Amino acid sequence: MKALVWLIGAAITVMSILIILKPQIARDIGERMNPQLFYFAAWARIVIGMIFLAISDTRSWGTLFNVLGILLIVVGAFALQSGYERTREFVLGIVHGNENLVRVAGAVGVLIGLLLISAS
């Protein structure tokens, strides 16, 4: 289980660093998003949020893990509730908008990835 959490954290960190360096990657992913990728991403957020909540008691920054866990679960559930088309329009609006906002989202991804790596 620890190795799986570490691999997920490493993948999120690497992808987020790439998005910070080249925001065009986020545009490409947003434009290629299909229903399967959408549902996978939404459920992945929920699962990662549950992992954060499960390990929050064992870490010194338990409150941070709790807050991020709840935030990820809410974001994943909101995406599922909103549906594929509405969420896709929202994502495309963000990635075709301000490049700095895409980089900030990448920085948040780096934070989440590093926290997952530290949790393993």
Side-chain angles (χ1 to χ4, degrees):
M1 183 67 172
K2 286 186 175 188
L4 180 62
V5 171
W6 189 89
L7 286 172
I8 292 171
I12 291 171
T13 303
V14 168
M15 181 58 99
S16 298
I17 290 171
L18 289 174
I19 288 173
I20 291 170
L21 295 176
K22 190 172 181 189
Q24 180 63 34
I25 294 171
R27 287 188 200 103
D28 293 342
I29 292 171
E31 290 170 355
R32 293 181 183 165
M33 183 174 28
N34 58 30
Q36 293 80 15
L37 179 62
F38 164 74
Y39 288 113
F40 174 79
W43 280 106
R45 287 183 190 106
I46 292 171
V47 169
I48 291 170
M50 288 180 182
I51 291 170
F52 277 166
L53 290 176
I55 63 172
S56 65
D57 294 339
T58 63
R59 300 290 175 234
S60 60
W61 292 0
T63 305
L64 177 64
F65 281 99
N66 277 332
V67 169
L68 284 176
I70 291 170
L71 181 68
L72 285 171
I73 291 172
V74 167
V75 167
F78 183 74
L80 290 173
Q81 182 67 28
S82 296
Y84 167 70
E85 290 296 327
R86 189 170 174 199
T87 304
R88 186 171 192 269
E89 289 174 21
F90 177 73
V91 168
L92 289 176
I94 290 174
V95 297
H96 287 295
N98 189 351
E99 238 180 50
N100 290 329
L101 184 60
V102 175
R103 286 189 168 115
V104 167
V108 170
V110 169
L111 171 69
I112 291 171
L114 290 175
L115 286 172
L116 278 172
I117 290 171
S118 74
S120 59

